[in-house]
Amino acid sequence: MEDGVSGAITLFVQPHVEVVINIRPEPVPTQLHLTEEMIANVEVETNTEPGSEKETVACNTQHCKVHGGWSEWSYYSNCSATCGGGDKHRTRTCTNPAPSYGGDDCYGSEKETVACNTQHCKVHGGWSEWSYYSNCSATCGGGDKHRTRTCTNPAPSETVACNTQ
């Protein structure tokens, strides 16, 4: 540019990144070399009026990646059994924050299952069928016959006996 002539040069260096260089009436180099660091951190000094002003130009305006984070675990569900072994579960979601702008999903499981009520179930004893009567204890004058049954239908567990009535 000739002495006393001013203007501006606009460079488009990346999509959505524009660098404007104001030319003042001074000798201007014929080639301008910009490094990536210079472009990423553009800060232009201008002297358009008497005194000095600092002008800041926006750069790197793209959204930052947001990696997903887990929410708190929910409360456990009810156990699927009251005894003999069941399971219960709890859940969480990948919403604290949700991944966005190319960020990674949460790592790990969204559901956790644990065993519960693993103690043996109590079994109340039940009587078996009666046996046949025995032979009479006397052949005349009165005697007794007896029969038996056992508490094995089912056998009790955890000391829950058969009804003794």
Side-chain angles (χ1 to χ4, degrees):
M1 295 190 168
E2 297 178 16
D3 286 340
V5 176
S6 63
I9 299 172
T10 303
L11 303 173
F12 296 95
V13 291
Q14 294 177 8
H16 310 294
V17 177
E18 178 179 310
V19 177
V20 177
I21 302 171
N22 290 311
I23 307 300
R24 294 186 300 269
E26 333 181 326
V28 178
T30 56
Q31 291 186 343
L32 182 62
H33 297 283
L34 297 176
T35 65
E36 285 185 34
E37 184 178 341
M38 292 168 64
I39 293 168
N41 299 300
V42 173
E43 197 172 277
V44 179
E45 294 286 334
T46 62
N47 289 313
T48 57
E49 295 181 26
S52 177
E53 293 181 18
K54 184 176 183 179
E55 179 179 44
T56 303
V57 178
C59 61
N60 291 336
T61 57
Q62 72 276 12
H63 291 283
C64 295
K65 290 181 181 183
V66 177
H67 299 298
W70 288 113
S71 66
E72 295 294 320
W73 285 104
S74 68
Y75 292 107
Y76 277 104
S77 64
N78 292 329
C79 189
S80 62
T82 56
C83 61
D87 60 20
K88 60 185 179 179
H89 67 271
R90 63 183 184 168
T91 58
R92 60 184 179 174
T93 57
C94 187
T95 57
N96 191 27
S100 59
Y101 306 113
D104 296 335
D105 286 333
C106 294
Y107 178 77
S109 178
E110 64 184 21
K111 185 176 181 180
E112 180 180 70
T113 302
V114 295
C116 56
N117 294 338
T118 57
Q119 75 280 8
H120 293 290
C121 295
K122 292 181 179 180
V123 177
H124 296 279
W127 290 113
S128 66
E129 296 293 322
W130 285 104
S131 67
Y132 293 109
Y133 279 102
S134 65
N135 292 329
C136 190
S137 60
T139 56
C140 62
D144 294 316
K145 295 193 313 184
H146 67 273
R147 63 183 181 169
T148 60
R149 63 182 179 172
T150 59
C151 186
T152 57
N153 191 24
S157 70
E158 299 195 24
T159 66
V160 180
C162 291
N163 185 347
T164 56
Q165 297 175 1

